[in-house]
Amino acid sequence: MIQKLIGIKFRMIRGSMRSEQDGKYRIPAFTALSLIFWVMLFRSSLWIVTEALTIEPVGELLIQKLLSIAFLVFLGLLAFSNIVTVFSTFYLADELEFLMSKPIPKDMLFGARYLESLTQSSWVIFLFGMPIFIAAGVGVGAGPSYYVMLIAVLVPFVAIPTALATLVGLFITNILAANRTRDAFLFLGVAGFAILFTVIRALRPERLLNPESFASIGEMLNLLSTPTTSYLPSDWAMGALIPVLYGRTSIDPWPLLLLYSTPIALYFIATWFHRPWYYRGYSKAQEGRHGQSLVTTFRDWMLKQTTSSIDTLEERLGELEAQGDHVTSMLRQLIRKDQKIFIRDAAQWSQILVVIAIMVIYLVNYKYFEIAADERLLGDVGLFFFNLAACGFVVVALSGRFLFPTVSVEGRSFWMILQAPITLEKFLWGKWLGGLAPVLIVGQALIWASNLLVLQNIAYCFLASFIILIITLGVSAMSVGFGAVYPQFHNPNAAKIASSFGAVIYMILGMFLVLSVLVGSFRVTMYLGSLLEAKTMNPPRMANYIAVTIAVLMPAAAAWGSIKLGASSLRKRL
């Protein structure tokens, strides 16, 4: 039965891949982009491993500690993504209404939902986490047994958070009132980021880049050789992987035993609890959001603020006619509509709390990256462009989360847009303008706060602000355009749309755009900064000016091309 339920999902994916509308180029495009991104991540990770090995006598221990932190970060990401995925898969999926009406055994239904949640939340870790661990093996010169053990470790490692998330979802949907369920999941997401931040700060990873912060070499060796924890799956994975990485003959079977026994035990415990309590939780999750929680109270207040004071339809139509039929009026109405929909959807704007948590975590940790500027791994220039890249990636992620689903959330009412006297290009530009302000504000706030935090020269602050500005304008329009290329009008869950295949394609292309802008503007940016600081520096060559011109125009070209491509894709669907 599980094979049949999962097989339906695979047939759906295979059918979408063969679709003439949007599946014709999916596999080649995704394969090519993923391969390029994979190689870039592998090369950068290999460089870090190679540089770390040159630090005597703690090179191997430093690699071990960095891999431990990587496993810990992946564990936190898996915990957060699984909580969101489990809630959508077990309680909000569209096909559940059909499945619940069929005589499917409870254990079989749970097993199928579990495997689907595991796949959806973990495939990115396998695809983009593997280059880091493979680079460690290549840099150290590990044998084939290391790569076999890597697969053996990652499979149970990603299964543990999924099993725990199913238990957490069952507990919340049964214990809390239905109108508090989504608020509780929002709280768990913020709490997960806070816990991850606390654990990483307790490790003080910046000390690894500054040997002078240790009182003695013995203290440094003790920090690097001491396990991060003794009760987390990340430590068990390290305990099983490190001996094989360095070719040791004695391998402790206990970490591997813990890795495999824990998800198996949690799976059977979750199955046992789901037998009597799942249907009750599913029923409560379908109830409407009522009551007076903090989120719903604020949502109701915002609803009143966005409700028109005009009482009759005739008065509303008269107001629209008075505004005229020019382009700015049509775009203004589209922007107002999207802003009202966003404000009235508490599940959307309440995720700003998660964005704030990410910004705080980054800013607090970025202060410690300043230590790396005095070491050979990074300098002042490296720190400046590292900050630009990190802020650019945050803008890409925010645009993917809030702007990419804007076309899809029109849903079955998209026919009304088609009846409006406006072209699809103008419709997409309106979507872009309607959602641009929050992303623009976050990007500028993050780049200014991070630069001022390390007392960066004001000249470089203005240069960084301009670079992030053009990146924001480009990637935000790209997110709207690719959201139109890969729409999901049947899916009402914006969070699930933001993690779809099309969103991954957009994320990879958006990161490429950020890196291309930074590479093209590198030489001229440094020269302008030296002029503003009254420093002497050789002027750029003509090739450098051509590169920076291309870098400045590239976001505009990407924005225009994405909007045109999105509009063309929507027309083909009509």
Side-chain angles (χ1 to χ4, degrees), residues 87 90-93 96-97 172-183 277-291 293 296 299 347:
F87 188 62
F90 277 79
Y91 303 100
L92 297 179
L96 283 174
E97 183 177 353
I172 290 178
T173 52
N174 277 273
I175 300 301
L176 298 183
N179 51 45
R180 311 279 177 148
T181 301
R182 295 189 181 183
D183 298 346
W277 300 110
Y278 173 66
Y279 287 154
R280 182 174 183 268
Y282 170 76
S283 177
K284 294 183 66 176
Q286 310 310 308
E287 298 176 13
R289 287 175 56 85
H290 304 287
S293 66
T296 53
R299 187 272 312 271

Side-chain angles (χ1 to χ4, degrees), residues 21-54:
Q21 289 183 338
D22 56 3
K24 187 176 181 181
Y25 304 105
R26 278 192 173 190
I27 294 180
F30 182 75
T31 302
L33 292 174
S34 299
L35 183 60
I36 296 173
F37 189 78
W38 197 98
V39 171
M40 294 175 60
L41 185 58
F42 171 79
R43 294 294 302 175
S44 59
S45 301
L46 183 60
W47 177 81
I48 294 176
V49 171
T50 305
E51 291 295 322
L53 286 174
T54 61

Side-chain angles (χ1 to χ4, degrees), residues 208-365:
L208 303 179
L209 299 173
N210 187 17
E212 296 179 358
S213 62
F214 299 96
S216 64
I217 189 65
E219 181 184 350
M220 185 176 185
L221 291 173
N222 181 64
L223 173 68
L224 294 176
S225 59
T226 302
T228 305
T229 58
S230 59
Y231 52 87
L232 290 178
S234 56
D235 182 65
W236 305 340
M238 288 297 298
L241 201 60
I242 290 301
V244 185
L245 175 63
Y246 294 118
R248 299 170 188 169
T249 56
S250 60
I251 299 177
D252 186 7
W254 182 246
L256 204 58
L257 180 62
L258 287 174
L259 273 176
Y260 276 90
S261 62
T262 301
I264 293 174
L266 288 174
Y267 176 84
F268 283 106
I269 292 173
T271 304
W272 184 68
F273 275 107
H274 272 72
R275 289 174 183 172
W277 300 110
Y278 173 66
Y279 287 154
R280 182 174 183 268
Y282 170 76
S283 177
K284 294 183 66 176
Q286 310 310 308
E287 298 176 13
R289 287 175 56 85
H290 304 287
Q292 294 300 318
S293 66
L294 180 61
V295 174
T296 53
T297 301
F298 186 71
R299 187 272 312 271
D300 294 339
W301 180 82
M302 293 297 294
L303 179 62
K304 294 180 181 179
Q305 304 305 311
T306 58
T307 302
S308 176
S309 58
I310 300 176
D311 296 328
T312 64
L313 177 62
E314 290 76 10
E315 292 177 350
R316 180 59 180 157
L317 292 175
E319 182 194 41
L320 293 176
E321 291 177 357
Q323 294 178 357
D325 57 354
H326 47 82
V327 174
T328 57
S329 175
M330 290 186 291
L331 290 178
R332 184 165 59 248
Q333 297 305 321
L334 286 173
I335 293 171
R336 288 182 60 186
K337 177 184 75 71
D338 290 336
Q339 290 175 344
K340 288 184 178 182
I341 292 175
F342 181 81
I343 292 174
R344 294 174 182 180
D345 188 358
Q348 286 277 13
W349 57 257
S350 58
Q351 293 192 14
I352 294 176
L353 296 177
V354 179
V355 176
I356 295 175
I358 295 174
M359 292 178 61
V360 172
I361 290 174
Y362 174 74
L363 290 176
V364 173
N365 282 275

Side-chain angles (χ1 to χ4, degrees), residues 452-474:
L452 294 177
L453 195 63
V454 297
L455 303 178
Q456 185 66 263
N457 185 280
I458 191 66
Y460 284 107
C461 290
F462 278 105
L463 286 175
S465 176
F466 174 74
I467 293 174
I468 291 298
L469 173 63
I470 62 174
I471 288 175
T472 302
L473 296 177

Side-chain angles (χ1 to χ4, degrees), residues 19 36 92 118 144-145 161 169 189 193 206 256 283 307 312 333 376 388 393 398 465 474 486 496 522 536:
S19 172
I36 296 173
L92 297 179
L118 175 64
S145 59
F193 275 108
E206 71 280 355
L256 204 58
S283 177
T307 302
T312 64
Q333 297 305 321
R376 61 179 176 177
L388 281 175
F393 292 162
L398 287 179
S465 176
Y486 300 101
K496 201 168 183 179
F522 176 81
T536 303

Side-chain angles (χ1 to χ4, degrees), residues 370-409:
E370 188 179 12
I371 297 174
D374 298 328
E375 304 297 325
R376 61 179 176 177
L377 291 180
L378 284 176
D380 292 331
V381 175
L383 184 66
F384 176 75
F385 278 92
F386 170 82
N387 186 35
L388 281 175
C391 293
F393 292 162
V394 170
V395 169
V396 171
L398 287 179
S399 300
R401 175 59 188 87
F402 293 107
L403 289 177
F404 184 86
T406 53
V407 175
S408 299
V409 295

